[in-house]
Amino acid sequence: MSGSPAPGSPGRLCPTERGGTRSRRFDIYRKVPKDLTQPTYTGAFISILCCFFILFLFLSELTGFIATEIVNELYVDDPDKDSGGKIDVSLNISLPNLHCDLVGLDIQDEMGRHEVGHIDNSMKISINQGEGCRFEGKFTINKVPGNFHVSTHSATAQPQNPDMTHSIHKLAFGDTLQVHNVKGAFNALGGADKLSSNPLASHDYILKIVPTVYEDLSGRQRFSYQYTVANKEYVAYSHTGRIIPAIWFRYDLSPITVKYTERRQPFYRFITTICAIVGGTFTVAGIIDSCIFTASEAWKKIQIGKMS
């Protein structure tokens, strides 16, 4: 008695097997049986080189992904609006031939400020066996053009021949930025040496202050100022004909702000680059290996033809 084949018998596929067959049609990564492939020494050599090349590029990309990138930009704005229109200044200067009793700091600007003998947050240290003075001070200036100068104007009795030879250790504005990847003129006058200049000469340092913002990966911002400097030396006389030298720092603010931002490569971009490296390397290596294999096979056929 004949009948229909049972499900799963060789004569008929069950629904599960038919579904699996249909699904396999969408496989774009079809496999080649091992007995149909042929390993070669050239292919092995290219494969090893390919692996080393991929490893090298992977480590290079990983280093770039871990490292922090500093991006800078320029824009016109006052970045530190919460400062109340003030800028912190730090000054450290040595006058080896002028007594501390004669040294003073004067501040004036276009807003009408005129302060002679500023003493707040300042310190005078005797040097050169009491013959000289080192002045260290921290003070604020308004965000308008002006000047501050080291002179003998605040002394009760003016010396006959004040010696204004000096060396500047530090002149900085705003917060101190200690970032290795940022090279800027935050202390452009640091190390300036005028010890061999005319003792009775006045010194003019003309500063152009540039607001600077540094933003780290967490979004925290620090505000500082870079500056460029030009200087001149001259002998100045008072209305009585006496020489009264001084060390002038005349400043003006730039409307351009420089911003440094820490950035790190996004993870998705890192993964995309790694996939491109692996896929591209294997594709190019496969093309090279195929060309070499095809050429070698053609050469073998030519040699066989000559022998026959």
Side-chain angles (χ1 to χ4, degrees), residues 144-174:
V144 295
N147 73 79
F148 52 92
H149 51 276
V150 177
S151 67
T152 60
H153 298 165
S154 60
T156 54
Q158 293 295 320
Q160 290 297 323
N161 296 306
D163 188 336
M164 282 294 168
T165 55
H166 63 277
S167 61
I168 301 174
H169 309 291
K170 180 182 180 181
L171 176 60
F173 300 88

Side-chain angles (χ1 to χ4, degrees), residues 43-68:
F45 179 73
I46 293 176
S47 299
I48 294 174
L49 287 182
C50 182
C51 291
F52 278 110
F53 186 68
I54 291 175
L55 179 62
F56 170 73
L57 293 182
F58 172 77
L59 293 177
S60 300
E61 285 297 323
L62 182 62
T63 303
F65 173 71
I66 296 174
T68 302

